[in-house]
Amino acid sequence: MLKKIGRLFVIKTRFEACLIIYALALGAMARGHAYLDQFPGFGGKLLMAACSGAVFLAGAKIFDCLRYEQAARAAAQGDTSA
């Protein structure tokens, strides 16, 4: 039963990855907007840029991991069929 629940939290497709990255971006921009209110001027803009940069880095890592897992899965299926 725990395996079935655990599978819900695994990113399997690029579409699912895009949805998660979108949710991360929404949260990061909300946090960045709060930083702009809290720290007006250059400091707030710098913190907002750091929030958006974190989403870019996380998104790239998610896409790289998906590509790696799909290649490993394809290699494993190729090995068992030979």
Side-chain angles (χ1 to χ4, degrees):
M1 181 67 179
L2 287 177
K3 267 190 170 181
K4 287 184 179 181
I5 294 172
R7 284 185 6 214
L8 293 173
F9 299 100
V10 176
I11 304 169
K12 297 175 210 77
T13 64
R14 290 180 63 84
F15 178 71
E16 291 173 349
C18 288
L19 290 177
I20 290 172
I21 293 167
Y22 178 72
L24 287 172
L26 283 179
M29 289 301 99
R31 183 70 244 165
H33 186 66
Y35 281 143
L36 285 175
D37 290 341
Q38 226 173 3
F39 305 105
F42 183 71
K45 290 178 184 177
L46 194 62
L47 287 169
M48 186 169 186
C51 287
S52 65
V55 173
F56 283 117
L57 292 174
K61 186 65 174 176
I62 289 171
F63 283 138
D64 283 346
C65 289
L66 269 178
R67 187 179 310 130
Y68 172 76
E69 287 176 357
Q70 288 172 351
R73 195 175 307 123
Q77 287 176 354
D79 290 341
T80 58
S81 64

